[in-house]
Amino acid sequence: MSASPTQPLRRKLLLGLAAGAAVTSPAALLAKPLRSQARIVILGAGAAGIAMANRLRRSIAGARITLVGARAEHHYQPGYTMIASGLWRPERVLSSTQQWLANDIDWLAHDVTAINARQQWVQLSNQQQLGYDLLVVATGCQLNYHQIEGFETSMIGQHGIGSVYASPAAAQATSTQIDALIAKGAGRALFTLSDTPLKCAGAPLKMTFTTVSRLEKTGQRERFQVDFFSPYQNRVFAVPTYNEFVLKRWQEQSVGFFDQRLLTGLDAHSRQAFFRHKDGSTSKEAYDFIHVVPPMSAPDVVKASDLVWQDGPFAGNWLEVDQYSLQHRRYPNVFGVGDVIGTPFGKTAASVKMQAPVAERNILAFLSNQPLNARYNGYTSCPLITSIGRAILSEFGYEGKLMPSFGFISPTEESWLVWMMKEQMLQPAYNAMLHGKV
Amino acid sequence: MSLDGILMILWYAAKPWLWFIALLVLALVASLWLGRHKQGKPHGLLWPTAIAAGLVAMLVAPMLTQSQLGYVTTWPDRLVLLTIGIGTMLYGWLLLKSWFRQA
């Protein structure tokens, strides 16, 4: 079946199926389940996909909801920095995907290999073709380590190489490499940043702070050189308030800062890193430990589809959605949630917590032929660990506007309470989010 | 964040510790029940012991969260630490009050 992407795709059919659509407001839409027989497919069985599946299951009765994603093991990714800082065991972030899903959600444990938005089907790795009336893209993002010459993920944990993003095991291996640096008694640690949008963009900074904290604990901090390489001019974080704080703190901590330098390659055996400068010149830096941050994008299957941004800063790399409604700009029956979307901010679990209810309300409104009134304001949050034992609760949204949730917690003050929130409370909040409860 | 949301998160945070909370309640109930026939005035050491327990809790709490006392710097930090101390002190007092008696 084909339909013009600019027309309200199968909306009449969906309207007919939405028998209980006598509701008038988003609040009313959420008050009782909407009746619909729409075939809803959710791509991605990570945090965003699971949260959306559980929410839609509760708010829509009669629909066939299918979750697509091969990963049987669920990872609490905000815990990776805790593992890589030597504070948590990897087991603490592991659970099974199945345990988070309501019983009546169909979960197909396969990856999506193709998306045809015009004809409204997706193809899975088992060659199954799945038609949909409404698609939620929540695939997460892709770590493009291969774009760093000479680098393979198997190197993480060897030759002084660490990277917090790859997996819980990689985070653990990163911590082991930092331990090895400390055991050496002296050396140089390099921390890098990619020039693409990043999920948990604070993670590279946290890794720098916690490593400095560990080095300080040895009582011989002066024997270690710590340097941070950023591709941006005088910037490591998008929000000026936090950028200034971090750079100032690093100055106090004797962390070297080198801007406008992008990591392009590694020679693992000789422990040399290659950087390209803004003016096109290159340089190489010796290291004893390096923290690698990969370039990121939407997964290839999204990039190869018609769903990807066609122009602008996210062109060819991220899912095209309206940054407020989270609805696809050209295919109205497609919504996006989580790391995959091309919006100015919004690649953390905290973002998903805010995006999921917005997408849910707008999906219900779409199925009921109502205006899409729910708005995502770009909220994202990152308890920025500034030392092992204290953190700043940075919360902000579009245009870098600070959005503190708790009036009594200063968004610019280091605090033990915020550390406790990161250490003890965020995982429960995340779990509640997966269940669609917050 | 809404009150509902905060309560829901607190519930999720408490869930893994329900066994411990139950144990604390059980210990308290058992102490009060078993000591209900004890006679006499409260022992002079009751309050000092409860206060000492509260102080120990305040000293230990940051370490239990992989932090340190020196990082308790903002007023919400201090308020939380004080709440932990007072809570421990009151619990200790209730737990011991039936037993710390003098004839």
Side-chain angles (χ1 to χ4, degrees), chain A residues 387 389 415-417 419 423 435, chain B residues 1 12 65-67 71 76-77:
Chain A
S387 178
S415 157
W416 168 58
L417 176 60
W419 167 263
E423 220 265 332
H435 281 143
Chain B
M1 184 179 281
Y12 269 77
T65 56
Q66 312 204 59
S67 185
Y71 288 164
D77 291 351

Side-chain angles (χ1 to χ4, degrees), chain A residues 258-278:
Chain A
F258 300 86
D259 66 353
Q260 301 185 77
R261 291 163 208 226
L262 178 69
L263 179 69
T264 54
L266 279 182
D267 182 343
H269 291 284
S270 66
R271 299 199 181 202
Q272 305 260 7
F274 303 97
F275 292 88
R276 188 176 64 235
H277 300 209
K278 199 188 174 197

Side-chain angles (χ1 to χ4, degrees), chain A residues 47-95:
Chain A
I50 291 171
M52 285 307 296
N54 285 324
R55 280 182 170 276
L56 294 177
R57 178 70 285 160
R58 219 171 31 244
S59 55
I60 305 176
R64 178 167 182 187
I65 298 175
T66 307
L67 181 68
V68 172
R71 205 171 64 191
E73 202 172 58
H74 184 78
H75 299 164
Y76 170 64
Q77 295 189 32
Y80 285 9
T81 48
M82 302 300 278
I83 299 169
S85 301
L87 299 167
W88 285 12
R89 299 286 309 155
E91 295 76 32
R92 190 160 166 182
V93 303
L94 303 180
S95 59

Side-chain angles (χ1 to χ4, degrees), chain A residues 13-28:
Chain A
L13 167 66
L14 295 173
L15 272 174
L17 298 172
V23 285
T24 53
S25 68

Side-chain angles (χ1 to χ4, degrees), chain A residues 175-423:
Chain A
S175 179
T176 308
Q177 291 299 300
I178 296 167
D179 283 337
L181 171 73
I182 292 168
K184 221 172 145 187
R188 186 184 190 200
L190 297 190
F191 292 83
T192 65
L193 198 60
S194 165
D195 63 348
T196 66
L198 300 176
K199 65 174 169 179
C200 190
L205 316 184
K206 294 178 201 175
M207 285 312 303
T208 311
F209 278 121
T210 60
T211 303
V212 168
S213 206
R214 289 163 87 175
L215 296 176
E216 283 172 346
K217 210 172 169 185
T218 66
Q220 297 179 314
R221 167 68 182 87
E222 68 286 353
R223 299 184 66 176
F224 297 92
Q225 185 181 344
V226 180
D227 294 319
F228 194 97
F229 287 74
S230 168
Y232 306 110
Q233 186 175 9
N234 206 30
R235 181 160 72 82
V236 293
F237 204 74
V239 182
T241 306
Y242 298 114
N243 186 57
E244 284 158 25
F245 172 87
V246 170
L247 294 181
K248 185 165 175 276
R249 174 53 58 87
W250 282 349
Q251 243 179 2
E252 292 163 3
Q253 292 179 320
S254 301
V255 173
F257 177 61
F258 300 86
D259 66 353
Q260 301 185 77
R261 291 163 208 226
L262 178 69
L263 179 69
T264 54
L266 279 182
D267 182 343
H269 291 284
S270 66
R271 299 199 181 202
Q272 305 260 7
F274 303 97
F275 292 88
R276 188 176 64 235
H277 300 209
K278 199 188 174 197
D279 61 10
S281 62
T282 58
S283 63
K284 65 179 177 184
E285 303 284 342
Y287 63 84
D288 296 286
F289 168 80
I290 186 167
H291 183 255
V292 175
V293 176
M296 299 183 194
S297 68
D300 287 339
V301 64
V302 175
K303 287 163 66 177
S305 76
D306 194 32
L307 296 178
V308 75
W309 274 98
Q310 305 294 302
D311 48 41
F314 305 115
N317 281 314
W318 300 96
L319 180 76
E320 181 178 336
V321 291
D322 175 81
Q323 69 180 46
Y324 300 108
S325 70
L326 305 179
Q327 183 185 39
H328 198 279
R329 283 156 41 97
R330 290 172 286 118
Y331 295 95
N333 65 336
V334 177
F335 288 78
V337 180
D339 297 343
V340 69
I341 63 175
T343 55
F345 289 120
K347 298 197 192 306
T348 67
S351 308
V352 173
K353 180 172 158 286
M354 299 301 271
Q355 290 165 4
V358 169
E360 178 193 14
R361 286 180 186 207
N362 284 339
I363 286 169
L364 296 185
F366 174 77
L367 292 176
S368 311
N369 201 24
Q370 303 267 328
L372 277 56
N373 289 331
R375 289 286 177 269
Y376 171 57
N377 57 11
Y379 175 86
T380 194
S381 168
C382 165
L384 185 58
I385 300 170
T386 56
S387 178
I388 292 176
R390 62 181 168 180
I392 287 176
L393 187 55
S394 60
E395 297 174 284
F396 48 90
Y398 292 143
E399 286 96 45
K401 186 181 170 192
L402 300 189
M403 295 178 172
S405 295
F406 306 100
F408 57 90
I409 296 178
S410 164
T412 56
E413 224 171 20
E414 292 168 283
S415 157
W416 168 58
L417 176 60
V418 175
W419 167 263
M420 276 208 301
M421 288 168 73
K422 166 75 181 169
E423 220 265 332

Side-chain angles (χ1 to χ4, degrees), chain B:
Chain B
M1 184 179 281
S2 69
L3 183 63
D4 282 2
I6 291 170
L7 291 175
M8 182 60 73
I9 291 167
L10 287 175
W11 167 241
Y12 269 77
K15 274 206 284 190
W17 299 100
L18 287 180
W19 65 272
F20 183 66
I21 295 166
L23 205 65
L24 290 178
V25 172
L26 201 66
L28 189 60
V29 170
S31 171
L32 294 173
W33 191 74
L34 292 171
R36 69 190 187 283
H37 298 308
K38 293 264 183 185
Q39 300 293 319
K41 291 191 300 183
H43 196 286
L45 283 176
L46 177 58
W47 272 111
T49 307
I51 290 168
L55 287 173
V56 169
M58 289 173 71
L59 290 172
V60 167
M63 281 182 283
L64 289 177
T65 56
Q66 312 204 59
S67 185
Q68 51 186 279
L69 200 56
Y71 288 164
V72 180
T73 49
T74 66
W75 73 260
D77 291 351
R78 294 191 189 109
L79 187 65
V80 168
L81 195 64
L82 196 65
T83 306
I84 290 169
I86 291 173
T88 306
M89 182 188 74
L90 289 178
Y91 179 81
W93 185 85
L94 283 170
L95 192 73
L96 299 174
K97 83 179 181 79
S98 303
W99 305 93
F100 271 51
R101 292 190 178 278
Q102 54 193 8

